[in-house]
Amino acid sequence: MRSYVLRRVLHSLLTLFGVSLVVFGILRVLPGDPAKMMLPDNASAAQVEELRRQFGLLEPLHVQYVAFLSSIVRGDFGQSFQFRAPARSVVGERIWPTLHLALAAFSLTVLLGVPAGILAATRHRTMFDYGSIFLAALGQSLPNFWLGIMLILLFGVTLGWLPTSGYQGPAYLVLPAVTLAAYPMALVARLTRSSMLEVLGREYIRTARSKGLAERTVVMLHGVKNASIPVVTILGLQIGVLLGGAVITESVFAWPGIGKLAVDSIFQRDFPVIQVVLILAAAVFIVINLIVDLLYTVLDPRIRYS
Amino acid sequence: MRTYRSRVSRRDFLGRAAAVVGGVSVGLMGLQASAAGVSAAGLDESSVPRLAAVTQQSGSSVVASMAERLLTMDPANHISIAATTVQRHIYDPLVDVTSDSRIVPALAESWEILDDLTWRFRLRQGVTFHDGTPLTSADVVYSLARPATDTKLQKNSVLGDISSVEPEGANSVIVRSRSPFGSLLGHLTMLGIMPASAAGREDAFFQAPVGTGPFKLTSWTLGEEVQLAANTNYWVSGSPKVSSATFRFIPEVSTRAAGLRTGEIDIIDRIPADMVSTLQNSPGVQVLTRPSVETQQWVFQLQNPPLDNLMVRKAISMAIDRATIVNEFHLGYAETAVSPIPPGLVGHVNLGAKVYDPSGAREMLRQSGVSNPSLDFILMKGVYTKQLEIAEAVQAMLGEIGITLTIKELERAAAIELRAAGNYHMFYSGWAHMPHDPDWYFGSWFTAKGAAILTRYNNPVVEQLIVDARSTNNAVRQQKYEQIQRIVWDEEEATIWPYYSTAVYGARDRVSGYEARPDYYVLLNNVMVG
């Protein structure tokens, strides 16, 4: 097991190295010049050239790439083009808001999505089942952007229950978290439901029932545990969905997180900041995947890594 | 082969995992609340900069939200409206500009033009920086010499014409320019005065800047929010009228407007015309408008055939129904242009609105010898209100006379690359005269040097007139600008200037003393709340 984890960590580092190459490459082929973005419309060629030199963009590509790698090793990630401040501090102060938002949305996904799926499966073909399928279809099909604005208008403007934007306390978290969780919550609810339906039809469930176990025990102990593998897989993948969704959700709610920073930085061609954000996102995704894979062994003793 | 043997039983683990997930979500809320508490106690604002706002909900604070993000606190290294706005609260300029484009004293109590190339500014006495050090001529010399000499700074492109800045005693400064610099005062309204002690440590200084302005910087989250506290020693008595102010940068207009409607935000800028009636009908909200100093311009790439042909440009101009665009898309919150320079600025002249004449346009196009031209119209995504709808209207109007217009709405970075390379026919743009002076505009767009990566405009006659218009004599300036405009507007049809924009702001009813500015600055010096 230990060697498996070690191997996975090594693979992860290799993947991150690959990601760094891809990110670096894409930014360099993307049309748009960071220097021109920072300068007035009529900036002279000399001014553009000077700024490109300051940004290190006149160096050959391999030199730029090595400088980029060494900035990662140093830990400062280079100097943000747009803010003229270390990219690490620019990104650093955005991590907490995004973490709060992602954790809240993930909690909603787990605490509402999974139980809803279980209940729908145990109440198969009832109004509750149909209702939750309908809501799940809605949650999966409404665009984040639109949903966010509608929630702002309903709960912020019309009802006045919740603040509309910003990041100042627990109440500010509610609407963005619900917006961000809508899609993964719906997906997880549907998946839990179908996984549970499959498991509940199995013979060992019939056996459990026939030996007189309480329905609650049958469902929770024998049902949920056996239905959990695909659900855990999808839950792990939802971290990626949450990071991606944060881009739009944070923009709608003026949430000072990494997603909004990513959008702004991409539009501004702020290479150092985009690079940190994307590599950070890739690292999070890789770590979560590793955790999910290790969780399998805990959930299902038949799974062994060697 | 080794198999994994857990020291924790699976059942234990699952139980604990469930507890952790539940705990995280509950703890999350607690974390937020306690973080707010820490900040309220003022213990560690640097790690939770945004949460400080919780403490500032007393009666005398104001929250303003702008669409554009603030990127820098360096007065000399931006040409941004948001940066000029926020910096105007922290720093003072030598001279200020009013909403009716009058230059008035600020840190300079008075000024005189000694000769065409020499200006003397007398500094106000008894002004101190936020850290208590008094303002002296050394500070002004430092602040002006930076952009005048450092070619890396963005404002060097305009203030580079200053040849020297020298102190004359502790309280006067002599500014010399290489050639007459009639727009100097206008440009100085955009430049905050920093303490000379910042010299050599600018990077650190701009993280915690100090000025003489009405507010002190409390905290800022890069690109997101700036918190200010009133400068109780401000040299203007009775200003500011609130104890704290917050700027939030929210590009998404629905979010900005929602915050205004709920009262979370007191003042917002850049309201599109179709949102005006919603806001006017919202209880507690007032809408304020003012004709702006911004002219929209759809520029031609003048060396890209067939636009090098004057008749084609004239045909395009005649085919565009500007009044319909102003009324249908801006619902009257814009004004059909009658010359490139908007009303109120030196040089404005009424040359008469362009006449909409589709049949004349068809005839003009026929005479030009160019048949069924196909043109690219480049838009920068998300920059101008209603731009895509307006471009589509123009597309239909030009279609009427047999011109095929292809609209390409691109990300700004990609669009300006195309423009620099000259690979376009028309480009959707605009110009807000931030210095309240047209010199910068013509220098940028109508000199061979400036236009080289823009429109490829090149006319030595106009270029000389632009130089002449930099005279320090306003009567001369007016005359020269009129001449320039007759050439580019009437004779050359060098650009389509469809309309002057209207600046539309929203404010809560409880806000008083807020002035809707024509330059889009959101100034809170005299704002009262409650």
Side-chain angles (χ1 to χ4, degrees), chain B residues 338-449:
Chain B
V338 293
S339 67
I341 301 177
L345 303 190
V346 62
H348 172 71
V349 58
N350 187 343
L351 298 175
K354 293 284 180 182
V355 179
Y356 170 55
D357 177 9
S359 56
R362 257 188 298 271
E363 178 57 22
M364 184 72 80
L365 188 63
R366 197 187 58 74
Q367 285 177 18
S368 75
V370 177
S371 57
N372 302 320
S374 187
L375 307 175
D376 285 343
F377 194 9
I378 310 295
L379 277 59
M380 297 180 285
K381 214 170 256 175
V383 174
Y384 298 102
T385 318
K386 293 274 164 197
Q387 58 180 16
L388 191 56
E389 290 92 331
I390 292 172
E392 283 165 354
V394 172
Q395 184 181 42
M397 290 168 188
L398 295 189
E400 292 284 307
I401 67 160
I403 295 176
T404 309
L405 195 67
T406 309
I407 297 168
K408 294 183 175 168
E409 193 179 37
L410 306 171
E411 226 191 304
R412 183 166 170 256
I416 63 178
E417 279 297 306
L418 274 189
R419 188 176 62 187
N423 291 332
Y424 71 99
H425 295 100
M426 292 174 72
F427 196 99
Y428 199 115
S429 172
W431 185 274
H433 293 267
M434 289 164 71
H436 292 244
D437 191 297
D439 174 38
W440 191 15
Y441 172 70
F442 285 109
S444 299
W445 292 84
F446 290 91
T447 57
K449 182 168 163 265

Side-chain angles (χ1 to χ4, degrees), chain A:
Chain A
M1 182 67 188
R2 198 166 294 139
S3 68
Y4 171 77
V5 173
L6 208 64
R7 212 166 54 234
R8 282 290 302 266
V9 169
L10 278 177
H11 282 174
S12 305
L13 287 176
L14 267 180
T15 310
L16 278 179
F17 180 72
V19 167
S20 79
L21 259 178
V22 171
V23 168
F24 182 87
I26 286 178
L27 288 180
R28 266 61 185 182
V29 297
L30 209 62
D33 177 349
K36 287 204 193 94
M37 292 302 289
M38 292 302 300
L39 288 169
D41 276 345
N42 65 325
S44 66
Q47 280 176 306
V48 173
E49 200 73 351
E50 166 61 27
L51 195 58
R52 289 175 61 84
R53 196 187 58 73
Q54 279 182 54
F55 288 162
L57 297 170
L58 293 183
E59 306 286 342
L61 279 185
H62 66 274
V63 177
Q64 289 186 43
Y65 183 67
V66 170
F68 163 49
L69 284 188
S70 64
S71 79
I72 294 179
V73 176
R74 276 199 315 275
D76 64 5
F77 296 97
Q79 191 87 350
S80 158
F81 293 166
Q82 53 179 335
F83 296 112
R84 319 274 168 121
R88 182 184 60 182
S89 63
V90 172
V91 176
E93 64 181 4
R94 310 295 191 105
I95 287 181
W96 270 109
T98 295
L99 206 61
H100 281 165
L101 181 58
L103 274 175
F106 190 70
S107 304
L108 280 180
T109 304
V110 174
L111 297 179
L112 294 181
V114 174
I118 295 171
L119 286 177
T122 53
R123 288 164 174 69
H124 193 36
R125 293 190 181 138
T126 63
M127 280 314 285
F128 182 90
D129 187 21
Y130 295 133
S132 55
I133 289 177
F134 176 73
L135 280 179
L138 216 56
Q140 277 191 283
S141 48
L142 295 180
N144 254 1
F145 186 79
W146 184 86
L147 178 64
I149 290 178
M150 288 303 125
L151 290 178
I152 288 176
L153 287 178
L154 179 61
F155 292 101
V157 176
T158 307
L159 298 172
W161 292 351
L162 291 164
T164 55
S165 70
Y167 171 68
Q168 293 171 16
Y172 288 79
L173 191 58
V174 178
L175 293 184
V178 170
T179 305
L180 184 55
Y183 180 88
M185 205 153 63
L187 180 69
V188 165
R190 287 179 54 173
L191 192 86
T192 308
R193 176 179 169 277
S194 58
S195 184
M196 278 298 285
L197 282 178
E198 190 198 325
V199 167
L200 290 180
R202 290 285 177 84
E203 289 185 352
Y204 53 78
I205 296 291
R206 200 169 31 173
T207 310
R209 285 197 178 118
S210 63
K211 71 183 177 187
L213 286 181
E215 183 63 16
R216 187 188 168 82
T217 316
V218 173
V219 171
M220 294 312 290
L221 207 65
H222 298 269
V224 171
K225 199 188 288 178
N226 284 299
S228 62
I229 289 277
V231 175
V232 167
T233 308
I234 290 296
L235 277 176
L237 290 175
Q238 292 321 296
I239 300 289
V241 173
L242 290 177
L243 288 176
V247 169
I248 290 171
T249 306
E250 290 182 359
S251 294
V252 173
F253 289 94
W255 192 261
I258 286 182
K260 186 158 177 283
L261 179 69
V263 181
D264 294 338
S265 303
I266 288 170
F267 284 146
Q268 201 69 32
R269 298 290 187 268
D270 190 343
F271 292 171
V273 172
I274 305 170
Q275 285 165 177
V276 192
V277 168
L278 293 185
I279 287 177
L280 198 68
V284 168
F285 201 68
I286 288 172
V287 168
I288 297 287
N289 265 317
L290 182 58
I291 292 176
V292 167
D293 284 350
L294 296 181
L295 259 184
Y296 291 157
T297 63
V298 181
L299 291 170
D300 186 344
R302 291 168 303 184
I303 297 176
R304 288 280 180 270
Y305 298 119
S306 59

